[in-house]
Amino acid sequence: METTSKKSLITGEVMKSSILGAFKKLNPVYMVKNPVMFVVEIGFIFVLLLAIFPNLMGDGTGSHLRLYNSIVAVILLVTLLFANFAESIAEGRGKAQVQTLKKTKTVTEARVLLSDGTQIMKQANELVKGDIVIVRTGEVIPNDGEVIEGIATVDESPITGESAPVVKERGGDFSSVTGGTTVTSDWLKIEITSLPGESFLDKMIALIEGASRKKTPNEIALNTLLVSLTIIFLLVVVTLYPMTTYLNVTIPVATLIALIVCLIPTTIGGLLSAIGIAGMDRVTQFNVIAMSGKAVEASGDVDTLILDKTGTITYGNRMAEEFKPIKGVKEIDLIRAAWLSSLKDDTPEGKSILSLAVKLNVDSTDEKRIVETSEDIPFSAQTRMSGLDMQDGTKIRKGAYDSIKDRSIAAGRALPKDLEELVHQVSSLGGTPLVVAEDDHILGVIYLKDIVKPGLKERFELLRSMGIKTIMCTGDNPLTAATIAKEAGVDGFIAESKPEDKINVIKEEQSQGKIVAMTGDGTNDAPALAQANVGMAMNSGTNAAKEAANMVDLDSNPTKIIEVVEIGKQLLMTRGALTTFSIANDVAKYFAIIPAMLMVGVPEMRALNIMHLNSPTSAILSALIFNAIIIPLLIPIAMKGVQYKPMAASKLLNQNLLVYGLGGIITPFVGIKLIDMIIGPISQMTGL
């Protein structure tokens, strides 16, 4: 569930910083990282020199071309600024988020508990790993850590955007706390697990700040293609100059540079970085922190999704679903005994039994007296049962089937004939049977159900439509695992799995050339999260899981991987669509510039002037202007991404080729013609 409100695409502050960034990025040291735009910058510098020093070429034709050279130089500068602006806009969104996160980092004092039991106050930046701190209501947790004592609600809204406090307690998958969050009730004793500057919040800030310059393998491959095309067109233009000279056709140097700029893939070259950064930003908008662009990109190619069951597919806490009395026992008597056995049971299971009993109208009028006068018999690994010894001598117990059965037999009680059948019924449903006895007389069974999170079946069906296989890993027995797998709607499951089993299934899938994603929240999931191509840890999970993963879901919603996969696919589609559009653009620009350049000296070239442009000069300037303005016009698509709909890859490819390939050819014809209609008369009036 998305809890954060969407920010507008471009705020005033982002706009201001992006305009400034567009000029700063003109630094050649920076521009050389984008070879396509670096070629444009070299062309701009050369044409600018020709405008300032008309006779630089020494051919005596420069003076009357000063105005033309100046106009070309301005258009090339605008092209560079638009390309830099696109990247700065994407970076600006991330920088705005960094500022929000930095506001969360405050100078906090921590109450440190010493080994002798005394407490001292320390600055948060003085804490070291292993320090024990106590945080009370209204106080800020000074650094990342694990709860070792206490139970409290914590406001994590500065990190997750979720306004509802989260319960944190020792043990399980909800013991991890994040520095900068606030305790809103009770108190926690926390063991610090990270050094100052190495907290999760610090890492988030560093990741977002460093996102702009981390290129993915796919992006590097595309850059290689763009550089290759640029080199090819450079060679074409360089050889064109002596050829036209041989034909006694004089072509101004500025026109040749304009030809290079129009033919090389400047559109995608100017938008490539912005697309990658915006992809990471879109993931962040879904409250997922990606450690790199590579993780986002890999998610777009995911074939198999491995999911941990407990806390991921299910809530992790077994809940009382039904009371099943044996023959001859009234249901209300079983409910009353189960209620009594759970009065002092603080576990989630115990609380759910109380809740269900009250819902079924158990008589709870004497609860306070019973709690005060009875003796609590806590659960232990040895007895595998718990309950109450009441003041009148009545002994109420609930526990594992074998334990209660053995206790009943030892007391000389006859086992109910239908007890084993009831236990088997619960087990076959994927539940956990708890047997209830009063004075060693067995009354029936409590059906504890591992609750599957709502909406999962539909979302797994959506993954299936994307061609993604889902596999559930669980430590449960095969019967329980099969039941949960069927209810959740996963494609397969691995029962009684150990951490190494999860790694093995990931390696097996990867050996078949598949891209594997894994979601998990426990320490036992950490090795598998590290092995997977895309490892997404739940923020509510352990620090070990978050360290091993390359994504962290701040909302702790395992189905969020669906959104991440869609964003990854959207990123790849956007890059491919705009690359197609950019290259298709060059076809139209070819028909605008080449005939315009050559038809003065080679009249036969007029046949190729299919757009009937006003003059060679207006044709070249129109193509250059279109080449510049198409970049900012495509920024919204680069930022928001091409719309993704689950469908077959071949159908998706054909659709994008039709829309962006055909659109990339038609749009320049229309755009260049419209621009020519405006500047054609102006060029004639000025004598260009």
Side-chain angles (χ1 to χ4, degrees), residues 562-575:
I562 293 176
E563 277 84 6
V564 173
V565 167
E566 287 183 344
I567 290 169
K569 289 183 179 296
Q570 188 182 44
L571 170 63
L572 296 175
M573 281 176 53
T574 303
R575 190 177 289 155

Side-chain angles (χ1 to χ4, degrees), residues 414-645:
L415 290 178
K417 293 181 180 179
D418 58 337
L419 175 62
E420 189 170 343
E421 181 184 344
L422 289 177
V423 170
H424 180 73
Q425 282 179 12
V426 172
S427 297
S428 65
L429 292 171
T432 301
L434 277 186
V435 180
V436 180
E438 180 177 333
D439 289 333
D440 302 320
H441 175 64
I442 295 175
L443 302 178
V445 174
I446 304 171
Y447 170 21
L448 292 181
K449 185 179 181 182
D450 207 352
I451 305 296
V452 173
K453 294 181 178 180
L456 277 183
K457 193 163 189 174
E458 294 76 14
R459 294 177 74 79
F460 288 147
E461 182 62 38
L462 181 59
L463 283 173
R464 199 171 293 112
S465 70
M466 296 179 188
I468 298 172
K469 179 172 69 174
T470 52
I471 300 174
M472 179 186 77
C473 290
T474 175
D476 289 335
N477 62 68
L479 191 61
T480 300
T483 303
I484 296 294
K486 183 178 180 181
E487 186 176 349
V490 295
D491 296 315
F493 66 89
I494 300 173
E496 299 176 344
S497 69
K498 299 179 285 295
E500 54 267 31
D501 294 328
K502 296 177 184 179
I503 294 177
N504 290 337
V505 71
I506 291 173
K507 286 182 177 178
E508 183 180 344
E509 292 288 318
Q510 289 173 332
S511 68
Q512 298 172 26
K514 296 181 179 179
I515 303 296
V516 181
M518 162 85 186
T519 65
D521 58 357
T523 301
N524 64 325
D525 296 323
L529 288 169
Q531 176 66 37
N533 302 89
V534 180
M536 190 168 80
M538 304 296 104
N539 189 45
S540 61
T542 61
N543 283 326
K546 289 188 278 189
E547 289 287 339
N550 52 23
M551 286 188 182
V552 177
D553 176 20
L554 301 180
D555 292 331
S556 301
N557 177 3
T559 64
K560 188 79 68 66
I561 192 70
I562 293 176
E563 277 84 6
V564 173
V565 167
E566 287 183 344
I567 290 169
K569 289 183 179 296
Q570 188 182 44
L571 170 63
L572 296 175
M573 281 176 53
T574 303
R575 190 177 289 155
L578 293 184
T579 301
T580 302
F581 185 90
S582 177
I583 294 174
N585 260 235
D586 295 338
V587 176
K589 287 181 281 189
Y590 169 88
F591 280 101
I593 293 183
I594 296 295
M597 284 173 50
L598 301 177
M599 63 186 181
V600 174
V602 185
E604 291 80 4
M605 293 297 292
R606 292 183 183 275
L608 292 177
N609 185 20
I610 58 177
M611 285 189 272
H612 302 290
L613 302 177
N614 276 284
S615 67
T617 302
S618 70
I620 292 163
L621 293 179
S622 297
L624 265 185
I625 292 170
F626 175 85
N627 192 65
I629 63 174
I630 196 64
I631 294 175
L633 291 177
L634 291 174
I635 288 177
I637 296 177
M639 295 292 291
K640 292 181 180 179
V642 174
Q643 186 178 8
Y644 171 74
K645 292 181 181 178

Side-chain angles (χ1 to χ4, degrees), residues 158-463:
I159 307 297
T160 66
E162 174 61 70
S163 57
V166 179
V167 176
K168 295 290 184 178
E169 58 186 321
R170 178 184 177 183
D173 296 329
F174 294 90
S175 61
S176 172
V177 291
T178 305
T181 57
T182 305
V183 174
T184 55
S185 73
D186 303 294
W187 60 274
L188 294 173
K189 185 187 288 186
I190 300 166
E191 180 179 352
I192 299 300
T193 57
S194 65
L195 294 171
E198 296 179 1
S199 69
F200 182 60
L201 190 59
D202 291 310
K203 289 176 182 176
M204 284 173 63
I205 292 171
L207 285 167
I208 297 169
E209 285 182 326
S212 61
R213 291 271 56 89
K214 294 181 180 178
K215 293 188 183 297
T216 65
N218 184 283
E219 192 174 354
I220 292 169
L222 185 53
N223 260 320
T224 303
L225 171 64
L226 299 184
V227 169
S228 300
L229 289 173
T230 301
I231 292 172
I232 290 169
F233 283 120
L234 273 172
L235 292 174
V236 169
V237 174
V238 167
T239 55
L240 184 63
Y241 186 76
M243 289 172 60
T244 54
T245 302
Y246 177 77
L247 294 171
N248 294 319
V249 177
T250 302
I251 299 178
V253 174
T255 298
L256 290 173
I257 292 173
L259 176 62
I260 293 172
V261 171
C262 286
L263 294 187
I264 64 176
T266 50
T267 305
I268 188 61
L271 294 171
L272 189 57
S273 293
I275 294 168
I277 299 167
M280 291 187 68
D281 180 63
R282 283 196 297 277
V283 168
T284 306
Q285 296 304 307
F286 277 92
N287 265 9
V288 175
I289 297 298
M291 307 305 181
S292 69
K294 183 178 180 181
V296 180
E297 192 173 277
S299 65
D301 289 324
V302 165
D303 302 295
T304 305
L305 173 59
I306 311 293
L307 302 109
D308 177 49
K309 188 206 78 172
T310 306
T312 303
I313 289 177
T314 65
Y315 284 109
N317 297 325
R318 297 169 301 173
M319 310 294 284
E321 180 75 9
E322 185 182 354
F323 297 107
K324 292 178 173 288
I326 62 169
K327 290 178 181 177
V329 174
K330 294 181 180 179
E331 185 181 30
I332 193 63
D333 292 336
L334 169 62
I335 295 172
R336 170 76 176 178
W339 176 76
L340 288 169
S341 72
S342 304
L343 281 176
K344 293 189 177 183
D345 185 350
D346 289 330
T347 65
E349 291 87 352
K351 292 176 182 176
S352 74
I353 292 170
L354 290 176
S355 177
L356 182 60
V358 170
K359 186 178 179 181
L360 296 175
N361 300 317
V362 71
D363 180 11
S364 58
T365 54
D366 54 350
E367 177 181 346
K368 185 176 180 182
R369 179 187 61 79
I370 295 172
V371 170
E372 291 176 349
T373 60
S374 60
E375 181 186 353
D376 178 32
I377 307 299
F379 177 88
S380 71
Q382 289 74 33
T383 64
R384 298 177 64 210
M385 66 178 75
S386 63
L388 287 181
D389 283 351
M390 299 179 67
Q391 191 178 32
D392 62 3
T394 304
K395 298 180 186 298
I396 309 292
R397 296 290 185 272
K398 71 173 187 291
Y401 166 63
D402 290 340
S403 299
I404 298 293
K405 181 183 74 171
D406 292 345
R407 179 184 172 92
S408 183
I409 292 173
R413 301 279 189 181
L415 290 178
K417 293 181 180 179
D418 58 337
L419 175 62
E420 189 170 343
E421 181 184 344
L422 289 177
V423 170
H424 180 73
Q425 282 179 12
V426 172
S427 297
S428 65
L429 292 171
T432 301
L434 277 186
V435 180
V436 180
E438 180 177 333
D439 289 333
D440 302 320
H441 175 64
I442 295 175
L443 302 178
V445 174
I446 304 171
Y447 170 21
L448 292 181
K449 185 179 181 182
D450 207 352
I451 305 296
V452 173
K453 294 181 178 180
L456 277 183
K457 193 163 189 174
E458 294 76 14
R459 294 177 74 79
F460 288 147
E461 182 62 38
L462 181 59
L463 283 173

